[in-house]
Amino acid sequence: NHFSGCVVLHDGCNVVVAEGGPKALRKYSKLLLKRIDWNAKQGGDDDDDDDDKDKKQRKENRCVQVWQGTVLKRAFARFQFEECKSESAARDFLRKHGVEQYWDLAKNYIDPTGSI
């Protein structure tokens, strides 16, 4: 059961592309969408005084599934992370793998609840 894909890291929009069998994708999807607390405070700070300030200043982080489906051929041989300084760099990285449309889907996503 081979699992591949990528995570494109960019300020404001991170895109995860996951490819694999149904069982692996189901578990990975559950991890991303249900088990991870995307708003959990990072780091080892135990200073509770700043918690209220941080909550007000921080933007809400969320993970949403934009598309799920079947493709004929995998675009990635392994799972990799790519940090991109610009949107064009992110698009170029995905274009090299033939999946540039995933960036467009993520950037143009409109949450039906209106909270994103």
Side-chain angles (χ1 to χ4, degrees), residues 67-100:
W67 183 81
Q68 179 180 346
T70 304
V71 294
L72 295 176
K73 186 178 175 186
R74 289 180 186 229
F76 300 91
R78 57 186 173 81
F79 202 88
Q80 60 192 43
F81 287 79
E82 184 70 23
E83 189 171 352
C84 300
K85 304 250 187 247
S86 67
E87 284 192 33
S88 61
R91 289 177 67 86
D92 289 343
F93 173 75
L94 292 171
R95 184 181 300 125
K96 289 178 193 173
H97 294 280
V99 291
E100 180 183 10

Side-chain angles (χ1 to χ4, degrees), residues 2-5 17-21 25 71 73-77 79 99 102:
H2 184 69
F3 186 73
S4 62
V17 178
E19 304 170 324
L25 290 176
V71 294
K73 186 178 175 186
R74 289 180 186 229
F76 300 91
F79 202 88
V99 291
Y102 296 153

Side-chain angles (χ1 to χ4, degrees), residues 4-108:
S4 62
C6 74
V7 176
V8 178
L9 302 167
H10 178 266
D11 287 339
C13 183
N14 297 321
V15 176
V16 177
V17 178
E19 304 170 324
K23 186 176 180 181
L25 290 176
R26 187 170 48 251
K27 287 184 176 193
Y28 193 65
S29 179
K30 184 178 177 183
L31 172 71
L32 292 177
L33 299 174
K34 296 182 179 177
R35 290 180 53 204
I36 294 178
D37 180 6
W38 293 102
N39 289 306
K41 188 173 178 179
Q42 294 182 357
D45 282 343
D46 291 334
D47 190 7
D48 292 334
D49 296 336
D50 294 331
D51 283 347
D52 292 332
K53 284 189 227 174
D54 288 345
K55 285 180 183 178
K56 291 176 185 175
Q57 292 175 352
R58 278 190 285 170
K59 189 172 82 173
E60 181 183 348
N61 292 322
R62 293 191 47 191
C63 179
V64 293
Q65 186 172 12
V66 176
W67 183 81
Q68 179 180 346
T70 304
V71 294
L72 295 176
K73 186 178 175 186
R74 289 180 186 229
F76 300 91
R78 57 186 173 81
F79 202 88
Q80 60 192 43
F81 287 79
E82 184 70 23
E83 189 171 352
C84 300
K85 304 250 187 247
S86 67
E87 284 192 33
S88 61
R91 289 177 67 86
D92 289 343
F93 173 75
L94 292 171
R95 184 181 300 125
K96 289 178 193 173
H97 294 280
V99 291
E100 180 183 10
Q101 68 275 15
Y102 296 153
W103 181 260
D104 296 332
L105 285 170
K107 288 300 287 183
N108 296 323

